[in-house]
Structure formats: C-alpha cells, structure tokens
Amino acid sequence: MRRSVFEGATGSRTIVVGAGIAGLAAAARLSHAGQAVLVLERHSAPGGRMRTLPTAAGPVDAGPTVLTMRPVFEDLFQDLGTRIEDHVTLVRQPCLARHFWPDGSTLDLFDSETESARAIQSFAGANAARQFRTFSRRARRLFDGFDAPMMQAAAPTLPHLVGHVACRPRLMRAMAPLSTLAQLLGRSFDDPRLAQLFGRYATYVGGAPDRVPALLALIWHAEANGVWAVRGGMHELARAVEDLARDRGATFQYNADVAEVIVKDNRVAGVRLADGTQLHADTVVFNGDPRALATGRLGTAAGRVAPQTRHARRSLSAEVWAFAATPYGPDLSFHNVFFRSEVEGEFEAIAQGRSVPDPTLYVCAQDRATGPPPPGQERFEIIANAAPLTIAPTPQETTQCQTRTFRTLAGFGLTFDPAPGRQALTTPTGFDSLFPATAGSLYGQSPEGLAAALTRPTARTSIRGLYLAGGGTHPGAGVPMATLSARHAAEAILRDRISTLPSRPTAMPGGMSTRSAKTASDP
C-alpha cells in the first residue's frame, strides 16, 4: 500500500489520471492556480502518445513528431508565468514536407505560400499554382472562421455554430457542407497528385479523406502557418511541462495504474490503484480515452460518462516503426511522404480491416530537423495508416507489415542498414495495450460526418468533480488540440470551485488566459 502524497495537505485536492500532454498541462495550470495536484501515470515516463523508443543513436520519437499551432503552447507557458523558449528549443521547419510518387516526381511544400506556389508551378504548371492559392485561401478562411467558436470554445453547440455560419455566407460556401474533403479536393485540383497530397491531412485527425467533411481542409492552414521541431524530440516538450508543474507544487507518481474512479452520491471521491491503494480527492481529471470510462474500465460508477463513445466509430490506427539505421537512397527532408500510385483503394481497404501491398508511408528523419544528418546511423519513424481493432486484422496482415513497409520504400530506392526488427514496430494491438480501451485508435472517435466534432465529450461530465482532458475529448486529436482541452478542463474546475465558495472572488486565480490562440503573435 502506498502512502498518500496528500497526507498533510489542506484544502481541495486534485488527481490527474494520465501524464499525456493534456494531463501535464492541466496539472501545471491547476498547480499554478494554487491547487494541490497529484498526477498518476501507469507508464514510467510522461508524454502519453508523445513516447520514445531507445535506439543506438538515442531515443527516437514513436508518436507525434512536430509542433504546430505554436501560439497554443506560447499561451500555456505565458499563463504559467514564463516563456516557452526558456524551456525547450524550437526549430522552425521552412520545408514542411518532401513528397515522393512512384513515377519519380517530387514536391516540397514550404511555410511560405509564395514558395509553395512556386514549387507547385514547377511541379504541375501555372494553373495548379493558381488552384493551390485558391485552396489556401479557403483553408485560411475556414481556420479563422472556426477557431474561436469551435476550438477555443469549451463546449460549442450546434445552434451557436449554425448562427455563426449563417451570418457569414462566405464561410458557408468555404465549408462546402455537402461535400467530403476528397470531393472538395477533386474539384479544387486538376492534378490528382495534389488532391492526393492535401487529402492526407485528414489522417492527422484519424480520418479518411473520402469520409471526413470538407471543413477539415482547415488542417492545411494549421500546418502552413508554421511547423516546429523540438530539439531532442517531442518528449522534451512533455518533460518541460512536467518540470513546470513540479515547480508549482504538483506531485507525480509513475507506474501507478488507476483501476477505479471512486464515486459517491454522484460526486467523485478519489481513485483506487491496481495495488489496492485508495487516494481521496475532490477533483479528478481523466487524461485518457473517455471510452475507458464509458466501457467500465475504471469502475461501473464512472461508466455513465461519455456514453456516446461506446458505439461511435473509431478513428484510424497505425503501424509505427521507430529505429536507428543508416539510410541509402533519395535525399530526405525532416518530413517525407511516399505516396502510392493509385489514390483509390487504400482507405477502402483500411475500412474493411485490410492493407494494400503498397501503402502511403510517412517517414520522419528525426535528426534532419536541426541541421545536416549525422554520419552513420540516424533516427527514423515510419507510419502507415491502419484499421483500429474494431476490425481485427488477420495474423497474416500483421506478420506481413515489415515486408509491406520496406518493400514499398525500396521501390523508391530507399533502404536502411540494419533493417529494423520486430521490436521497433508498434501495431494497433500494441497501441490498445499501451492505451487501454482505445481499440488501437490513435485519435479517439472518428471525425467522419459534418457534426462529428460536436459529439466529442467535453471537459465537464455528469459526475460532479470528474473532468476530461486529452485528444479523445473536445476540441479533438493532436498535440495542440489536447493542450487546448487541458485549458478547458482547468478553467472549468476553477470556475466550478469558485461557484461553491460562500463569497465569490472577483477574479479567477491563476491568471488563466482565454484569448484566441490565433491572436498571439507568430514568430
């Protein structure tokens, strides 16, 4: 039995379950506001999906690889009384990604619209460049139009969004509400390679371009507005936020597996660990997939939270390789995408739980983010989209993953020495084991359907004192969105706590910022 770290603490006590980026950010914000905070994490290190695997060349990212929407993180550090550049080194990537096709064509996109248009004109002609500029304007209009009422809002509602769009006819036209992203891109670009390229942004939130709404074209603007690599890897960002939370009084326990959220009289009372230890708390922030609560993985009392997640379609999973090797073949950038020749077929196969023999592959050359590649072995992460475990792959599909991945890259002339072994691979089954009740999905609920974003759970739950944060909650998947969810959760907790005081203070403790991320200056 563990001794409670809350012994001797006075006042309200908060437990954060999970040390993913949302759990870390929530812990830091609440500690900064004067709350007693304990973070419990079932793994041995912070970061959640921002995880690493050891290699001979050092730890390699095996999850997210870059930081976008930088103002979200600048706001977080500023609200904690500091600056992000004092804690992590961010390296802007002028080249957003290098794209390869089997016919030998290549295309680099940049953080400058002018540079990208020039590259596209060389790649596919002047008309393609004009079409790209038109598409970029649409993506910018969608991002700006939905940032405040959707992403920055703690609990957006359909009536509010309908009213917001109804007053902005140009925004309605940009949405193309009756179209999927693939249909919009088919009308936007004559060159199918460009439609294929911009369609891949649907996978950033776990969707297929032929199934998600055209509204998700806004993801392109989020990336075009700037991509940064974290020197040392994305886990350094997690460490930095953990350090800030510790500095403000938060306590962390790793290898602490929470088995139950204890509820009494519809109010949270604490948690029970797998070893039987019970820890009392007035507030619990659950930084995990809400489906774990809904399916009873953390006790029957919490099972009525987020009931929509029990049967909602799951987002994509992935087959992820993380390893060190010496590469041979084409010149790689930090981000690289190797497309298959046929646009159709890949996502249809995934929807049926199958894989194609030549999948589109994302290759991150981690050591090329901050300068020339080192001699000898470099660190790599390779990602292929895959079906979640709700459609179980056959044993043959799993064992053929290595052949499928590296044979496809060899077709582009890219090989690695030594070839990575099975220990470098994480499959959907592995992700389900790492992150319980996810069914291997990396992004929570599927983003399919125009109203999908409105069906995600929000920070407050039906149980008093129990709150949600993370990529499975509003505003959605991805490191920036999860970080925003932590702000929503922390603000809800502090507001609810103030509302129970005999005399309400005139200002919220902690200096929480509520401004829109897009209003912060972007270096």
Side-chain angles (χ1 to χ4, degrees):
M1 300 282 286
R2 303 184 189 211
R3 180 178 181 271
S4 172
V5 298
F6 282 145
E7 290 182 16
T10 59
S12 59
R13 299 184 278 193
T14 298
I15 287 176
V16 177
V17 180
I21 189 61
L24 296 169
R29 286 185 177 279
L30 293 170
S31 298
H32 187 67
Q35 307 299 308
V37 178
L38 168 64
V39 182
L40 302 172
E41 168 57 54
R42 69 194 296 263
H43 297 295
S44 60
R49 288 180 175 84
M50 293 164 58
R51 65 192 186 102
T52 62
L53 292 180
T55 73
V60 58
D61 283 329
T65 56
V66 293
L67 183 147
T68 59
M69 298 177 64
R70 176 171 170 157
V72 170
F73 304 94
E74 290 177 327
D75 283 356
L76 169 63
F77 282 76
Q78 180 178 317
D79 290 344
L80 298 174
T82 186
R83 303 185 311 160
I84 189 171
E85 53 265 36
D86 293 334
H87 300 272
V88 293
T89 300
L90 302 180
V91 183
R92 186 155 188 159
Q93 303 297 302
C95 178
L96 301 177
R98 181 162 294 161
H99 307 86
F100 300 81
W101 282 268
D103 64 4
S105 57
T106 63
L107 173 64
D108 287 359
L109 292 182
F110 300 92
D111 60 356
S112 160
E113 182 176 315
T114 299
E115 289 296 317
S116 289
R118 185 178 296 120
I120 288 174
Q121 181 165 334
S122 298
F123 174 77
N127 187 53
R130 286 191 293 270
Q131 292 174 335
F132 163 72
R133 288 187 182 277
T134 300
F135 174 73
S136 287
R137 286 194 296 270
R138 180 192 290 265
R140 185 183 307 113
R141 184 175 297 124
L142 289 171
F143 187 95
D144 292 344
F146 285 95
D147 181 34
M150 190 68 192
M151 291 180 280
Q152 303 291 330
T157 64
L158 182 59
H160 176 73
L161 287 174
V162 168
H164 176 77
V165 173
C167 296
R168 296 163 177 82
R170 294 182 68 196
L171 185 59
M172 171 66 81
R173 290 193 297 271
M175 284 176 60
L178 300 180
S179 299
T180 66
L181 179 60
Q183 289 169 336
L184 172 65
L185 293 171
R187 296 194 300 266
S188 299
F189 295 103
D190 293 333
D191 192 314
R193 294 171 300 177
L194 294 175
Q196 184 183 26
L197 188 161
F198 291 104
R200 82 178 181 88
Y201 287 100
T203 66
Y204 280 31
V205 292
D210 59 346
R211 293 171 179 263
V212 302
L215 174 62
L216 292 190
L218 61 81
I219 299 174
W220 160 244
H221 178 71
E223 177 150 310
N225 207 36
V227 167
W228 285 262
V230 181
R231 189 180 295 276
M234 285 292 285
H235 63 285
E236 293 296 331
L237 176 63
R239 289 288 187 188
V241 181
E242 179 200 34
D243 288 344
L244 285 173
R246 287 186 186 275
D247 288 345
R248 284 146 183 76
T251 303
F252 288 76
Q253 285 187 3
Y254 291 99
N255 301 304
D257 192 2
V258 175
E260 180 184 5
V261 174
I262 302 171
V263 179
K264 296 181 180 179
D265 298 325
N266 198 45
R267 181 167 188 88
V268 76
V271 302
R272 179 178 61 81
L273 303 184
D275 66 3
T277 301
Q278 291 194 19
L279 299 172
H280 167 72
D282 309 287
T283 303
V284 170
V285 180
F286 182 67
N287 173 212
D289 196 309
R291 187 171 180 266
L293 295 171
T295 56
R297 290 289 294 268
L298 282 89
T300 56
R304 60 180 178 272
V305 172
Q308 69 270 39
T309 64
R310 293 187 203 125
H311 306 296
R313 287 180 60 89
R314 304 298 291 167
S315 65
L316 296 175
S317 186
E319 297 167 340
V320 178
W321 296 89
F323 61 97
T326 301
Y328 298 93
D331 183 29
L332 299 176
S333 183
F334 174 42
H335 280 319
N336 308 271
V337 183
F338 293 83
F339 287 108
R340 65 194 307 262
S341 56
E342 296 181 14
V343 178
E344 296 81 11
E346 184 170 15
F347 290 105
E348 290 86 344
I350 291 174
Q352 298 169 15
R354 298 182 293 104
S355 296
V356 294
D358 54 343
T360 294
L361 296 168
Y362 162 75
V363 178
C364 175
Q366 182 173 326
D367 293 303
R368 303 191 181 209
T370 55
Q377 292 193 349
E378 301 178 46
R379 291 170 292 178
F380 292 94
E381 180 178 2
I382 301 176
I383 302 177
N385 296 125
L389 293 181
T390 46
I391 305 175
T394 66
Q396 284 182 324
E397 286 289 325
T398 301
T399 57
Q400 290 173 357
C401 175
Q402 185 169 22
T403 301
R404 184 168 56 244
T405 300
F406 294 100
R407 182 176 58 196
T408 297
L409 292 175
F412 289 89
L414 178 60
T415 59
F416 299 92
D417 184 28
R422 175 74 186 187
Q423 73 281 358
L425 173 65
T426 308
T427 64
T429 300
F431 284 116
D432 186 57
S433 176
L434 287 168
F435 309 110
T438 61
S441 168
L442 298 181
Y443 312 90
Q445 292 178 219
S446 170
E448 298 174 10
L450 187 60
L454 293 173
T455 66
R456 283 181 177 268
T458 53
R460 287 188 177 91
T461 74
S462 58
I463 297 174
R464 287 179 297 166
L466 178 59
Y467 300 82
L468 305 177
T473 65
H474 171 76
V479 178
M481 297 294 100
T483 305
L484 280 176
S485 79
R487 193 193 79 192
H488 295 327
E491 289 176 348
I493 290 167
L494 295 175
R495 287 196 182 101
D496 292 349
R497 193 156 288 166
I498 289 171
S499 70
T500 63
L501 296 176
S503 176
R504 295 189 184 185
T506 58
M508 185 191 308
M512 305 284 285
S513 167
T514 58
R515 66 189 181 280
S516 168
K518 69 183 178 68
T519 63
S521 61
D522 189 356

